[in-house]
């Protein structure tokens, strides 16, 4: 139901600092300034559907995203629904079921590696560098990470 071109487009979620998640979208091609969107989600099949509590808004006050806190991932199937209205008319809904750890809609921005230690010896002209993997919402094996080190002589 709803007029063609009013559904949201480019729905993407980004996890950062391990348990925060921002989901954003673009308004529909035929959406007017009075179109308003509402995001509902269910983080797992065991939980109830709830509405976003912290919307991101554009210059017209339209909801174009949502900020979530305390998100846990752990192989969950999440359900997202974005619907809305404009001047009393329904707009097209957007629905998506996704596996949070593997679907292209979810991206995780990792923290830097932790406890970086450098030990250089002048006699051997060598340095040893150690670190711990970054904190992440769902990756449990450190072998999943590849690192790149840039060394600058100052």
């Amino acid at each position: 139901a709803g007029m063609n071109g009013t559904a949201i487009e480019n729905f993407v979620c980004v996890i950062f600092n391990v348990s925060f998640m921002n989901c954003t979208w673009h308004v529909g091609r035929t959406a007017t300034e009075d179109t308003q969107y509402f995001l509902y989600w269910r983080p797992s099949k065991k939980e109830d559907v709830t509405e976003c509590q912290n919307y991101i808004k554009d210059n017209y006050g339209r909801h174009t995203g949502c900020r979530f806190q305390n998100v846990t991932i752990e192989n969950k199937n999440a359900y997202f629904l974005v619907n809305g209205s404009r001047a009393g008319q329904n707009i097209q809904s957007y629905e998506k079921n996704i596996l949070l750890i593997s679907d292209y809609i979810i991206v995780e921005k990792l923290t830097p590696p932790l406890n970086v230690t450098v030990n250089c010896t002048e006699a051997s002209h060598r340095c040893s560098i150690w670190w711990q993997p970054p904190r992440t919402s769902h990756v449990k094996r450190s072998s999943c990470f590849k690192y790149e080190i840039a060394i600058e002589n100052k």
Side-chain angles (χ1 to χ4, degrees):
M3 187 173 152
N4 284 343
T6 57
I8 65 160
E9 299 174 348
N10 301 320
F11 183 83
V12 176
C13 296
V14 176
I15 297 170
F16 60 98
N17 290 346
V18 180
S19 64
F20 295 91
M21 181 171 73
N22 284 354
C23 294
T24 58
W25 58 83
H26 295 133
V27 299
R29 292 181 312 279
T30 62
T32 56
E33 293 175 15
D34 65 342
T35 301
Q36 190 56 280
Y37 296 98
F38 302 96
L39 171 66
Y40 299 88
W41 89 306
R42 182 181 61 223
S44 74
K45 290 181 178 180
K46 299 175 186 173
E47 299 177 57
D48 293 328
V49 174
T50 59
E51 184 181 352
C52 172
Q53 298 298 304
N54 190 8
Y55 282 108
I56 300 166
K57 299 178 181 182
D58 69 7
N59 293 338
Y60 299 110
R62 297 179 294 193
H63 300 157
T64 57
C66 184
R67 293 183 180 96
F68 297 96
Q69 296 180 347
N70 303 318
V71 173
T72 55
I73 303 304
E74 300 297 332
N75 294 324
K76 292 183 179 179
N77 281 303
Y79 167 76
F80 292 91
L81 166 69
V82 181
N83 64 16
S85 65
R86 68 173 188 201
Q89 298 175 332
N90 287 336
I91 62 167
Q92 290 178 317
S93 296
Y94 171 91
E95 284 186 89
K96 191 73 175 176
N97 276 304
I98 61 170
L99 182 61
L100 285 176
I101 65 165
S102 65
D103 205 288
Y104 66 94
I105 291 176
I106 302 289
V107 174
E108 183 165 11
K109 291 187 177 182
L110 299 174
T111 61
L114 304 168
N115 300 323
V116 176
T117 305
V118 179
N119 184 9
C120 297
T121 56
E122 229 178 288
S124 65
H125 301 292
R126 293 179 179 244
C127 291
S128 296
I129 305 171
W130 300 271
W131 61 85
Q132 292 175 331
R135 291 176 55 223
T136 176
S137 64
H138 64 281
V139 176
K140 303 298 182 217
R141 294 189 331 244
S142 60
S143 62
C144 293
F145 295 100
K146 291 185 180 182
Y147 301 93
E148 183 176 304
I149 299 173
I151 300 174
E152 296 179 10
N153 240 353
K154 293 191 177 191

